[in-house]
Amino acid sequence: GAYIYLISNGRLLIIEAETLTIITTYSEENVYFSTMYYTDDTLVLVGDKYQTYVWTDDDAVDDSEKTNEDVIDYYYNWYYNYGVDIVILDVSDVENVTVRKELYFEQTYLSQSRMIDGNLYLIMNNYYINYGYVDNHFVPEYYDSTLSDEVVMLPAENIYYMPNDMYSVSYLMIASVNVFDDSNAQVDAYIGSTYQIYMSITNLYSVIYRNYLDEETGYYQYQTYVLRFEIIDGKLVYKAMGGIFGSPLNQFSMDEYNGMFRIATTDYQWNDTGSHLTNQLFVMDATSENEMTVVSVLEGLGKPNERIYSVRYTGDIAYVVTFVNTDPMYKLD
């Protein structure tokens, strides 16, 4: 109503709407803010943090990694840390903005974020274990200003296993943060990364894949899994997982309605004659625990080699557009 909150070049500007005067500027070193949420005089900034370093002998883990001093003098090895940075600001007084809480997830990329009723949910991928870990540094690390003054390792009891091809091991990081109080964030890691997510008022759905070798055809195929996390007391709690086939185009390919999860996918299969595309719409039970059972599936959408181009749901109706050269549209009850 009275102020414009603007992210420009990675920093926050608070502007008086009537005069267009900049009241406050907020930024952090090496942090590029790109997303924000506003609720009840609370502003949440979400961004990426990058820090560049020069490798020296002091950074060597053991003697085998140490190099000749003359080489160090002439050949500098650069490396960098990156991560997701969250700053929660009290903006009740726009001229005196204060930091209420700050979080940083090291070596992590943000996939998606959502905020419901003052609870911030972060869905992130951590690929560090693939290429950068050493023997004593393979567990996700993060900083929570309400928990510690230092970066801490995620406890083992907060790390879970889910289907993965084991060729590209990574962590799906899920954090739940109350933006109003001083409680620390709930952080969990699942071995495997997410591709797409959909979130309702009560559940978060994460789509993951597992590659496998089809012994009959000799080609690699993939299995798609949907994980359901239920919101309980403002925290995301794992509840169930179900297997389907194909890939959703985006978040609009998914929907929750009357206790059912709907997802439209395009499946790519390879064999000696080339690739074949199929399109289908799955309905899954969004209330069952342990296993998300498939209630029904409608297959055969689209002509040969058409893929899903757009999906929208409204109540009992799904609209699916397939595409190759023209746009057929299907209205599905």
PDB file of all heavy atoms in Angstrom, residues 119-130:
ATOM      1  N   ASN A 119       5.046 -20.033   7.054  1.00  0.00           N
ATOM      2  CA  ASN A 119       6.056 -21.095   7.020  1.00  0.00           C
ATOM      3  C   ASN A 119       6.682 -21.142   5.633  1.00  0.00           C
ATOM      4  O   ASN A 119       5.978 -21.283   4.624  1.00  0.00           O
ATOM      5  CB  ASN A 119       5.429 -22.450   7.360  1.00  0.00           C
ATOM      6  CG  ASN A 119       5.004 -22.535   8.816  1.00  0.00           C
ATOM      7  OD1 ASN A 119       5.816 -22.347   9.715  1.00  0.00           O
ATOM      8  ND2 ASN A 119       3.729 -22.792   9.040  1.00  0.00           N
ATOM      9  N   LEU A 120       8.001 -21.009   5.592  1.00  0.00           N
ATOM     10  CA  LEU A 120       8.756 -21.039   4.353  1.00  0.00           C
ATOM     11  C   LEU A 120       9.259 -22.452   4.104  1.00  0.00           C
ATOM     12  O   LEU A 120       9.816 -23.095   4.999  1.00  0.00           O
ATOM     13  CB  LEU A 120       9.946 -20.077   4.440  1.00  0.00           C
ATOM     14  CG  LEU A 120      10.907 -20.052   3.247  1.00  0.00           C
ATOM     15  CD1 LEU A 120      10.236 -19.425   2.023  1.00  0.00           C
ATOM     16  CD2 LEU A 120      12.188 -19.296   3.605  1.00  0.00           C
ATOM     17  N   TYR A 121       9.048 -22.936   2.883  1.00  0.00           N
ATOM     18  CA  TYR A 121       9.492 -24.279   2.510  1.00  0.00           C
ATOM     19  C   TYR A 121      10.501 -24.159   1.370  1.00  0.00           C
ATOM     20  O   TYR A 121      10.231 -23.523   0.349  1.00  0.00           O
ATOM     21  CB  TYR A 121       8.303 -25.141   2.094  1.00  0.00           C
ATOM     22  CG  TYR A 121       7.254 -25.241   3.171  1.00  0.00           C
ATOM     23  CD1 TYR A 121       6.085 -24.488   3.106  1.00  0.00           C
ATOM     24  CD2 TYR A 121       7.445 -26.065   4.273  1.00  0.00           C
ATOM     25  CE1 TYR A 121       5.123 -24.563   4.101  1.00  0.00           C
ATOM     26  CE2 TYR A 121       6.491 -26.152   5.279  1.00  0.00           C
ATOM     27  CZ  TYR A 121       5.326 -25.394   5.186  1.00  0.00           C
ATOM     28  OH  TYR A 121       4.388 -25.474   6.187  1.00  0.00           O
ATOM     29  N   LEU A 122      11.664 -24.783   1.563  1.00  0.00           N
ATOM     30  CA  LEU A 122      12.750 -24.719   0.590  1.00  0.00           C
ATOM     31  C   LEU A 122      13.013 -26.115   0.055  1.00  0.00           C
ATOM     32  O   LEU A 122      13.190 -27.062   0.823  1.00  0.00           O
ATOM     33  CB  LEU A 122      14.018 -24.163   1.236  1.00  0.00           C
ATOM     34  CG  LEU A 122      13.899 -22.782   1.890  1.00  0.00           C
ATOM     35  CD1 LEU A 122      15.108 -22.503   2.755  1.00  0.00           C
ATOM     36  CD2 LEU A 122      13.742 -21.702   0.827  1.00  0.00           C
ATOM     37  N   ILE A 123      13.038 -26.235  -1.277  1.00  0.00           N
ATOM     38  CA  ILE A 123      13.349 -27.501  -1.930  1.00  0.00           C
ATOM     39  C   ILE A 123      14.641 -27.284  -2.702  1.00  0.00           C
ATOM     40  O   ILE A 123      14.682 -26.470  -3.639  1.00  0.00           O
ATOM     41  CB  ILE A 123      12.209 -27.957  -2.854  1.00  0.00           C
ATOM     42  CG1 ILE A 123      10.914 -28.130  -2.043  1.00  0.00           C
ATOM     43  CG2 ILE A 123      12.565 -29.262  -3.541  1.00  0.00           C
ATOM     44  CD1 ILE A 123      10.058 -26.901  -1.970  1.00  0.00           C
ATOM     45  N   MET A 124      15.718 -27.988  -2.318  1.00  0.00           N
ATOM     46  CA  MET A 124      17.050 -27.706  -2.841  1.00  0.00           C
ATOM     47  C   MET A 124      17.748 -28.996  -3.268  1.00  0.00           C
ATOM     48  O   MET A 124      17.391 -30.082  -2.814  1.00  0.00           O
ATOM     49  CB  MET A 124      17.885 -26.992  -1.763  1.00  0.00           C
ATOM     50  CG  MET A 124      17.274 -25.689  -1.274  1.00  0.00           C
ATOM     51  SD  MET A 124      18.055 -25.053   0.250  1.00  0.00           S
ATOM     52  CE  MET A 124      17.406 -26.218   1.469  1.00  0.00           C
ATOM     53  N   ASN A 125      18.738 -28.846  -4.126  1.00  0.00           N
ATOM     54  CA  ASN A 125      19.574 -29.970  -4.552  1.00  0.00           C
ATOM     55  C   ASN A 125      21.021 -29.697  -4.158  1.00  0.00           C
ATOM     56  O   ASN A 125      21.531 -28.607  -4.376  1.00  0.00           O
ATOM     57  CB  ASN A 125      19.489 -30.175  -6.065  1.00  0.00           C
ATOM     58  CG  ASN A 125      18.139 -30.720  -6.499  1.00  0.00           C
ATOM     59  OD1 ASN A 125      17.580 -31.593  -5.844  1.00  0.00           O
ATOM     60  ND2 ASN A 125      17.613 -30.219  -7.600  1.00  0.00           N
ATOM     61  N   ASN A 126      21.659 -30.703  -3.582  1.00  0.00           N
ATOM     62  CA  ASN A 126      23.065 -30.616  -3.194  1.00  0.00           C
ATOM     63  C   ASN A 126      23.832 -31.702  -3.949  1.00  0.00           C
ATOM     64  O   ASN A 126      23.660 -32.885  -3.696  1.00  0.00           O
ATOM     65  CB  ASN A 126      23.206 -30.805  -1.677  1.00  0.00           C
ATOM     66  CG  ASN A 126      24.635 -30.665  -1.197  1.00  0.00           C
ATOM     67  OD1 ASN A 126      25.558 -31.203  -1.785  1.00  0.00           O
ATOM     68  ND2 ASN A 126      24.831 -29.948  -0.097  1.00  0.00           N
ATOM     69  N   TYR A 127      24.671 -31.273  -4.911  1.00  0.00           N
ATOM     70  CA  TYR A 127      25.410 -32.210  -5.752  1.00  0.00           C
ATOM     71  C   TYR A 127      26.868 -32.375  -5.304  1.00  0.00           C
ATOM     72  O   TYR A 127      27.651 -33.027  -5.982  1.00  0.00           O
ATOM     73  CB  TYR A 127      25.409 -31.724  -7.208  1.00  0.00           C
ATOM     74  CG  TYR A 127      24.037 -31.522  -7.789  1.00  0.00           C
ATOM     75  CD1 TYR A 127      23.523 -30.246  -7.997  1.00  0.00           C
ATOM     76  CD2 TYR A 127      23.246 -32.608  -8.144  1.00  0.00           C
ATOM     77  CE1 TYR A 127      22.264 -30.057  -8.533  1.00  0.00           C
ATOM     78  CE2 TYR A 127      21.988 -32.434  -8.689  1.00  0.00           C
ATOM     79  CZ  TYR A 127      21.496 -31.157  -8.887  1.00  0.00           C
ATOM     80  OH  TYR A 127      20.249 -30.977  -9.419  1.00  0.00           O
ATOM     81  N   TYR A 128      27.225 -31.800  -4.176  1.00  0.00           N
ATOM     82  CA  TYR A 128      28.630 -31.729  -3.776  1.00  0.00           C
ATOM     83  C   TYR A 128      29.262 -33.105  -3.618  1.00  0.00           C
ATOM     84  O   TYR A 128      30.435 -33.299  -3.896  1.00  0.00           O
ATOM     85  CB  TYR A 128      28.740 -30.933  -2.481  1.00  0.00           C
ATOM     86  CG  TYR A 128      30.154 -30.578  -2.088  1.00  0.00           C
ATOM     87  CD1 TYR A 128      30.946 -29.802  -2.926  1.00  0.00           C
ATOM     88  CD2 TYR A 128      30.688 -31.011  -0.886  1.00  0.00           C
ATOM     89  CE1 TYR A 128      32.240 -29.466  -2.573  1.00  0.00           C
ATOM     90  CE2 TYR A 128      31.985 -30.676  -0.518  1.00  0.00           C
ATOM     91  CZ  TYR A 128      32.756 -29.901  -1.360  1.00  0.00           C
ATOM     92  OH  TYR A 128      34.033 -29.570  -1.021  1.00  0.00           O
ATOM     93  N   ILE A 129      28.469 -34.080  -3.179  1.00  0.00           N
ATOM     94  CA  ILE A 129      29.014 -35.418  -2.939  1.00  0.00           C
ATOM     95  C   ILE A 129      29.513 -36.052  -4.230  1.00  0.00           C
ATOM     96  O   ILE A 129      30.335 -36.958  -4.233  1.00  0.00           O
ATOM     97  CB  ILE A 129      27.947 -36.322  -2.271  1.00  0.00           C
ATOM     98  CG1 ILE A 129      28.589 -37.601  -1.721  1.00  0.00           C
ATOM     99  CG2 ILE A 129      26.818 -36.632  -3.226  1.00  0.00           C
ATOM    100  CD1 ILE A 129      27.647 -38.450  -0.934  1.00  0.00           C
ATOM    101  N   ASN A 130      29.027 -35.561  -5.395  1.00  0.00           N
ATOM    102  CA  ASN A 130      29.423 -36.131  -6.682  1.00  0.00           C
ATOM    103  C   ASN A 130      30.865 -35.831  -7.051  1.00  0.00           C
ATOM    104  O   ASN A 130      31.533 -36.631  -7.692  1.00  0.00           O
ATOM    105  CB  ASN A 130      28.513 -35.589  -7.793  1.00  0.00           C
ATOM    106  CG  ASN A 130      27.237 -36.389  -7.897  1.00  0.00           C
ATOM    107  OD1 ASN A 130      27.273 -37.602  -7.846  1.00  0.00           O
ATOM    108  ND2 ASN A 130      26.123 -35.717  -8.020  1.00  0.00           N
TER     109      ASN A 130
END
